[in-house]
Each structure stands twice: as structure tokens, then as C-alpha cells.
Amino acid sequence: MSDDGDESEGDSDDPTLTHTADGDAQMVDVTAKPDSDRRATARGEIRLRESTVAAVRADEVGKGDVLTTARIAAIRAVKHTWETIPMCHQIPIGDVETDFEVHDDRIVLAVTVATTGQTGCEMEAVQGVTTGLATVLDMVKSAEKGVDGGYDTEIGGVEIVEKVKQY
């Protein structure tokens, strides 16, 4: 996914760059890289019953305000990405934007992260989306549970939709 020499294994200008090899693990050394302004946006969705979405819209979910809780969870996840993804650098988070689109049968979440530093913030954006959507599920799961005790709810379509780097 990297087009700017960030810490991905597949960079064409350094095919040996890797996090793990021969049983060893290491973070990619970014200390020689100059700081730059970086921004990344990720998006995903959770498919829900129309009645569940209506309850979210009306703020009638028993656990509380679903979107506010999911927004807080997404921001917190962005700030703690380095703790959950191995070899991910801890970066200064300058800004986190969360944008929900509520449709009749799904909720779409986009998370945009901004930082100034030596490495990108796309993993932080992805972590924000996945945690935000998982929080939506946690808040509405009683409404989504079927008569058999299972769920038809689906979280998917998670993708990085923008990555920008400026010196």
C-alpha cells in the first residue's frame, strides 16, 4: 500500500525491507527519514437490520448513544494502534476525524488521521474504523440477534481510501 517509502515489505526500492525473517522480528528503522505531514482515510461498513438502524437514528438503543460511543472508541483505537499491531510505530496523532453515514440497512464509518512524523498513519485509520464498527455491533447486538441466537450482521468493506504525504 505504500507509495512513499513507508514501512511496507513490498517497497520496490528495497526488497529486503521486512518485519520478520528467519525467526527474527524487528521494527523498520525510520530514524533517517525526515518528518512530513501525513494524512490517511479508511472506511468500512456494518450491515444491520432496518429496525436496528432506525433505533440508532432515534437514539433508542438500550446501551446508549451508539454513534457517540463508536466515535470515542474509534478515536481511542487510533491513539493506541501501536499497542495492538506488532512492529507498528507509536506516532503523534495530530487529528482524528470520524464521519458516519447512516443508511437504511447499514452504517458507514470513515476515519481520517493526521500526523507529522517519519511514518504514515494508514494503520491508525484502519484500526479506528474496525474498532468503531465493532463498537456499533457491541451496542446493538441484542437487537441484531436472531431467534436462533445467531447474527446476520456483517462488518466489511474496510479499505484505505486515501493516503497523503507532504514535505
Side-chain angles (χ1 to χ4, degrees):
M1 188 79 216
S2 179
D3 55 42
D4 58 11
D6 277 355
E7 55 188 46
S8 68
E9 295 80 34
D11 284 349
S12 60
D13 47 356
D14 187 352
T16 64
L17 190 60
T18 183
H19 289 306
T20 60
D22 299 325
D24 190 17
Q26 64 182 12
M27 285 178 66
V28 173
D29 184 355
V30 297
T31 55
K33 294 175 68 177
D35 282 349
S36 59
D37 293 334
R38 295 158 183 270
R39 183 178 220 59
T41 301
R43 179 178 50 225
E45 67 180 25
I46 182 168
R47 294 199 169 273
L48 302 165
R49 295 180 178 150
E50 289 188 19
S51 59
T52 303
V53 174
V56 170
R57 279 190 174 124
D59 196 16
E60 295 176 350
V61 174
K63 287 188 173 182
D65 184 333
V66 173
L67 299 185
T68 297
T69 305
R71 188 180 314 278
I72 292 166
I75 293 167
R76 185 176 188 287
V78 165
K79 294 167 60 174
H80 290 273
T81 300
W82 66 277
E83 294 175 314
T84 56
I85 297 179
M87 312 314 165
C88 193
H89 290 85
Q90 182 177 6
I91 64 172
I93 304 298
D95 188 32
V96 179
E97 298 171 14
T98 57
D99 181 43
F100 289 96
E101 295 174 18
V102 181
H103 301 270
D104 290 340
D105 63 343
R106 69 191 181 284
I107 296 174
V108 178
L109 172 58
V111 174
T112 300
V113 179
T115 187
T116 299
Q118 298 165 305
T119 189
C121 53
E122 61 272 21
M123 293 311 301
E124 286 74 9
V126 168
Q127 189 83 345
V129 167
T130 57
T131 300
L133 294 175
T135 300
V136 170
L137 175 58
D138 182 53
M139 297 285 290
V140 304
K141 66 185 173 193
S142 64
E144 287 290 299
K145 189 181 290 186
V147 293
D148 63 353
Y151 299 95
D152 292 328
T153 311
E154 178 183 315
I155 294 173
V158 178
E159 61 181 333
I160 299 166
V161 295
E162 181 183 49
K163 181 180 170 183
V164 177
K165 174 180 163 183
Q166 297 175 334
Y167 288 103

